[in-house]
Amino acid sequence: MSSFSLEKVRNIGIIAHIDAGKTTTTERVLYYTGRIHRMGEVHDGTATMDHMVQEQERGITITSAATTTFWSDHQINIIDTPGHIDFTAEVQRSLRVLDGGLVVFDAVAGVEPQSETVWRQADQYNVPRICFVNKMDRVGADFQNTIDMIRNRLKANPLPIQWPIGSESDFRGIVDLLSMEASIWQEEDLGVKSVVIEIPEEVRAEVEEARERILENIIETDDVLMTRYLDGEDIEVDDLRAALRKATIQRTVTPVLCGSALKNKGIQRVLDAVVYYLPSPLDIPPMTGKNPRTGEIEQRPPKSNGPLAALVFKIVTDPYVGRLAYFRVYSGTLRAGSTIINSTKDRKERIGRVLRMHADRREDLDEVQAGDIAATLGLKNTFTGETLCTREAPIVLESIEFPEPVIMLAIEPKTNLDQDKMGLALKALSEEDPTFQVRLDEQTGQTVLYGMGELHLEVLVDRMLREFKVAANVGKPRVAYRETITREVEKAVGRFVRQSGGRGQFGHVVLSLEPLAPGSGFEFEDCITRGVIPKEFIKPTQDGVREALESGVIAGYPMVDIKVKLIDGSYHEVDSSEMAFKIAGSMAFREGAQKGNPVLLEPIMGVEVVTPEEYTGDVIGNLSARRAEIESMELRTDGVQSIRSRVPLAEMFGYATALRSMSQGRGTFTMEFDHYSPVSKDIADAIVKGGR
């Protein structure tokens, strides 16, 4: 049980672009709060939060790890999230249950593409943020440039509440612009203690100008302070902090701090800022959800004595203890050994052990109260995005939506024994990761894995081979194409009749099809009147249409962005059955899709390449050869060129190697899914023939 009152609890996520220093920052936080006694390093594979073998080998975060730590009489629940776009689901599910975010930026690169993605996700979930400009000791570090990029690229209102003393190798400390106190850190004690010094003369003018600016910005947000300021009163630091906290929680400003996590500079000030400016569970609006019995929208304020409402945001298969479900309690108290319901499925569940997690270590708790994050063992039928509550006060909280996977590969077990092991492994991995999907290709009999990118699938296959000891042959990654129609079809008939002695089969449906806007998915509308098809046959018809959607009509890829209306049909008193209507629905849809001028769609990726200026011509020429549409180019202060483009995923396989050889190993790129777009006829023909 938490001994902390709710206003002293902070649920925060550390989010950023890959390599901005999130995990290193988290390691320092754990060290200075006394959670660990020796700092691990990402580059040595010893970081506490990167506890998976694959994370240690690659030096990246793959799964979000949770931990709880304590700082100046506050409890801070931290989730360290991945920065790589392939693991975007991990960021999304973490943001859904967090109250605040710490966004880490690289002082040299500034705002990078994945920073934009996580910023958008945080906007979507209304998460207040503070920013930490890390790596101030690197060559090319530019604090002001990073702030300008946050303003211009993220359309945010950044407010620097610190000013750096020195830059690059000369970076030694910071000035707090609210208290006007300058601090430097000593290398000898790994930055545990800071030394307060006079503000150095070389930065004094900049600091005073910056303080004036932020005073005006903070005072503008508070009418009482504004009056006092105009009356010439001196505003106390505590009053400024209170006003800044309010503005941060309302997301009108974003405080910005700076430092160097690797060199142990500035992390304690970040912890202070988390406590000062990020919301407690009491500062955010009450969680709302739908009562499954009445359909009414209900609120759940964060009270420990209120009705239970908790959201499961992550499932992990732990090799030692079994299936762990991470959850956030929004209201009420969840006790070990209690029986509750999963209201999303209306299934009873028993809570086994309740655990406070620290990366991959754990401690047992008797109960978890409103506002806290923990994990439990023993949930059999509960998955990511589902709600736990009591039968007396049912509620279904808004679930978490995940993007569709865009890349696939085929996998075959080597022996029959591996077949069973592979089935269990794939079930466990797809329960953990909602963006990882497993389907059986009916034409080839192969198991096909779908994921968000090459790295995503590579890590999942690696885990399957290592953790679950499955021996398997793995195919090459391929693009997950889609199909759709481009014109309306007014009438498509499906008629299934079988007469073979005894009772026959009869199903007859008429559908109309129309294309929808990209990204709309699939809609089904029942337009049957006067009972020409009995109610019990409507759902089987829809199921038949859904089944036909999965296998397309051009090259066997799933069909998307189609609205299907069931407009007519007929039935037989004796011979009609659910199966007959399911088959008729499938037949009608296939006929309609053929008439709807079907096209093949391919995933288009947003790609940003960062390369030294002298290689720009080669990089652009290579991108153009890959059917890229160049969108913008920007020359950065450190002499590197940033090139943004949209490129078909099919053309991006092996790009990392090509870019390395073009730029003598100095170019980097990031890529994320943007949209699906129709494929030209000659490329579509090549895909149908299996040439791509």
Side-chain angles (χ1 to χ4, degrees):
M1 175 180 162
S2 169
S3 55
F4 286 81
S5 58
L6 268 186
E7 65 268 16
K8 294 201 167 182
V9 173
R10 300 286 181 274
N11 293 310
I12 67 159
I14 300 190
I15 53 181
H17 183 90
I18 192 166
D19 274 348
K22 293 177 308 304
T23 302
T24 306
T25 303
T26 311
E27 286 296 310
R28 300 310 184 256
V29 164
L30 298 180
Y31 180 75
Y32 297 130
T33 55
R35 241 320 178 175
I36 55 176
H37 301 295
R38 182 177 162 275
M39 284 186 258
E41 300 295 358
V42 174
H43 50 265
D44 297 338
T46 55
T48 310
M49 302 299 270
D50 285 352
H51 54 84
M52 276 169 62
V53 181
Q54 289 84 353
E55 294 179 312
Q56 290 161 6
E57 286 176 355
R58 289 175 163 84
I60 60 169
T61 303
I62 291 169
T63 61
S64 49
T67 189
T68 298
T69 192
F70 304 91
W71 182 255
S72 69
D73 204 25
H74 283 67
Q75 174 182 324
I76 305 176
N77 297 323
I78 301 174
I79 296 182
D80 173 28
T81 64
H84 199 287
I85 187 65
D86 284 13
F87 308 107
T88 184
E90 290 288 336
V91 183
Q92 213 152 329
R93 58 164 130 215
S94 304
L95 285 168
R96 171 68 174 80
V97 295
L98 294 170
D99 302 329
L102 169 61
V103 189
V104 182
F105 295 101
D106 179 327
V108 180
V111 175
E112 297 175 272
Q114 182 62 6
S115 326
E116 293 183 56
T117 305
V118 295
W119 196 273
R120 278 200 309 272
Q121 289 171 332
D123 279 343
Q124 191 186 332
Y125 291 116
N126 300 318
V127 176
R129 279 142 274 178
I130 59 176
C131 299
F132 176 53
V133 179
N134 189 23
K135 305 193 181 186
M136 283 299 300
D137 56 318
R138 270 186 68 197
V139 175
D142 188 333
F143 184 60
Q144 187 58 53
N145 181 53
T146 304
I147 287 167
D148 293 342
M149 287 177 85
I150 293 171
R151 183 174 292 109
N152 300 332
R153 276 201 178 185
L154 303 177
K155 305 291 181 271
N157 184 12
L159 201 61
I161 55 170
Q162 293 179 346
W163 202 260
I165 301 173
S167 188
E168 302 183 346
S169 59
D170 190 32
F171 174 69
R172 3 187 243 294
I174 54 118
V175 180
D176 183 321
L177 294 177
L178 296 180
S179 64
M180 289 301 272
E181 188 179 273
S183 310
I184 57 171
W185 283 268
Q186 308 296 324
E187 297 290 332
E188 301 84 69
D189 65 355
L190 296 175
V192 171
K193 290 192 176 68
S194 59
V195 180
V196 175
I197 59 165
E198 277 289 306
I199 296 173
E201 277 310 311
E202 75 260 26
V203 295
R204 183 172 283 281
E206 287 178 338
V207 162
E208 285 174 353
E209 190 189 327
R211 177 174 163 83
E212 272 310 304
R213 276 201 308 270
I214 78 153
L215 272 181
E216 285 168 16
N217 262 300
I218 295 172
I219 285 160
E220 267 175 19
T221 66
D222 188 301
D223 293 344
V224 177
L225 283 190
M226 176 71 88
T227 309
R228 285 171 56 190
Y229 182 67
L230 293 174
D231 290 347
E233 231 184 281
D234 264 352
I235 311 290
E236 295 291 317
V237 173
D238 287 349
D239 293 340
L240 288 172
R241 281 192 184 132
L244 181 53
R245 173 185 177 78
K246 195 169 146 201
T248 305
I249 291 168
Q250 289 169 349
R251 295 175 44 236
T252 52
V253 301
T254 307
V256 184
L257 299 91
C258 62
S260 165
L262 190 64
K263 295 289 166 60
N264 314 308
K265 290 177 181 160
I267 300 300
Q268 296 96 323
R269 297 290 184 278
V270 171
L271 283 163
D272 290 339
V274 165
V275 167
Y276 289 147
Y277 308 121
L278 287 181
S280 76
L282 295 174
D283 294 315
I284 56 168
M287 186 48 64
T288 58
K290 189 182 274 190
N291 183 320
R293 287 183 201 147
T294 63
E296 300 286 310
I297 298 295
E298 295 182 5
Q299 285 195 343
R300 289 287 185 270
K303 292 180 180 166
S304 297
N305 57 0
L308 175 68
L311 185 79
V312 172
F313 66 95
K314 183 176 164 77
I315 300 291
V316 176
T317 307
D318 188 294
Y320 303 107
V321 293
R323 191 173 185 271
L324 268 173
Y326 284 76
F327 60 89
R328 156 88 190 253
V329 181
Y330 285 100
S331 159
T333 301
L334 190 70
R335 293 181 177 84
S338 60
T339 300
I340 43 102
I341 63 160
N342 170 341
S343 54
T344 313
K345 290 180 174 159
D346 196 22
R347 298 280 291 271
K348 205 192 299 187
E349 286 274 30
R350 188 173 182 283
I351 300 292
R353 290 163 64 195
V354 173
L355 306 165
R356 162 95 58 228
M357 299 304 292
H358 174 50
D360 60 341
R361 301 201 297 282
R362 55 196 77 80
E363 62 185 85
D364 278 277
L365 301 174
D366 296 327
E367 60 182 37
V368 186
Q369 298 187 345
D372 216 340
I373 289 173
T376 180
L377 287 165
L379 298 183
K380 300 246 181 336
N381 303 303
T382 298
F383 296 89
T384 298
E386 296 181 347
T387 306
L388 305 176
C389 59
T390 57
R391 195 166 286 290
E392 297 73 51
I395 191 167
V396 178
L397 304 176
E398 186 191 341
S399 189
I400 310 170
E401 285 190 8
F402 295 105
E404 280 290 305
V406 294
I407 193 166
M408 62 186 187
L409 59 76
I411 188 163
E412 288 176 344
K414 286 187 175 167
T415 66
N416 283 342
L417 178 65
D418 287 313
Q419 177 80 50
D420 298 339
K421 283 203 290 192
M422 186 171 95
L424 292 170
L426 293 177
K427 180 174 183 284
L429 291 170
S430 57
E431 280 182 11
E432 281 187 26
D433 184 348
T435 58
F436 172 54
Q437 295 176 10
V438 183
R439 295 181 194 151
L440 186 70
D441 186 325
E442 290 183 0
Q443 292 159 347
T444 62
Q446 286 177 314
T447 302
V448 182
L449 314 183
Y450 288 79
M452 299 304 295
E454 285 183 87
L455 180 64
H456 186 208
L457 287 180
E458 194 184 305
V459 167
L460 286 161
V461 168
D462 193 35
R463 286 187 63 193
M464 191 175 76
L465 305 180
R466 283 201 213 185
E467 281 174 42
F468 297 93
K469 310 279 188 293
V470 177
N473 298 318
V474 182
K476 280 201 170 76
R478 304 196 322 269
V479 176
Y481 293 99
R482 298 274 187 272
E483 297 179 19
T484 192
I485 57 169
T486 53
R487 67 165 178 239
E488 277 191 45
V489 178
E490 287 180 11
K491 188 175 176 185
V493 181
R495 207 180 157 82
F496 180 68
V497 184
R498 284 280 180 281
Q499 214 60 53
S500 53
R503 188 178 161 185
Q505 292 282 3
F506 182 89
H508 168 222
V509 299
V510 181
L511 307 176
S512 75
L513 280 63
E514 62 183 86
L516 294 176
S520 307
F522 165 64
E523 288 178 25
F524 183 87
E525 192 181 328
D526 170 16
C527 301
I528 292 297
T529 53
R530 301 188 313 279
V532 290
I533 298 177
K535 276 273 178 272
E536 65 265 28
F537 297 141
I538 305 292
K539 172 106 179 29
T541 305
Q542 184 178 350
D543 292 344
V545 171
R546 273 190 188 280
E547 218 166 82
L549 269 175
E550 282 305 307
S551 54
V553 290
I554 301 173
Y557 291 103
M559 300 197 78
V560 291
D561 306 332
I562 299 177
K563 180 170 186 173
V564 174
K565 291 181 182 173
L566 176 56
I567 52 174
D568 200 1
S570 62
Y571 73 104
H572 188 281
E573 288 286 355
V574 179
D575 290 353
S576 282
S577 66
E578 289 189 1
M579 178 56 78
F581 272 88
K582 187 175 177 183
I583 295 170
S586 177
M587 290 165 70
F589 177 80
R590 292 188 75 78
E591 184 197 299
Q594 298 276 15
K595 290 181 184 170
N597 197 12
V599 293
L600 206 55
L601 302 172
E602 65 178 342
I604 305 294
M605 312 302 280
V607 175
E608 179 169 34
V609 181
V610 177
T611 176
E613 204 184 350
E614 60 264 36
Y615 307 115
T616 307
D618 291 348
V619 169
I620 288 179
N622 184 274
L623 283 171
S624 301
R626 292 171 185 268
R627 297 194 281 136
E629 193 183 294
I630 307 292
E631 293 200 308
S632 69
M633 291 167 62
E634 182 187 329
L635 187 60
R636 294 205 186 149
T637 48
D638 49 351
V640 297
Q641 186 86 38
S642 156
I643 303 156
R644 292 181 159 218
S645 61
R646 298 195 196 288
V647 195
L649 175 61
E651 305 292 347
M652 288 301 290
F653 290 110
Y655 185 64
T657 313
L659 180 61
R660 270 200 296 273
S661 62
M662 268 183 292
S663 63
Q664 296 185 0
R666 293 164 66 198
T668 59
F669 80 101
T670 48
M671 170 167 91
E672 64 174 309
F673 172 70
D674 194 273
H675 66 284
Y676 270 96
S677 174
V679 176
S680 66
K681 176 134 183 29
D682 53 335
I683 293 173
D685 290 344
I687 293 165
V688 172
K689 286 181 191 142
R692 293 177 79 82

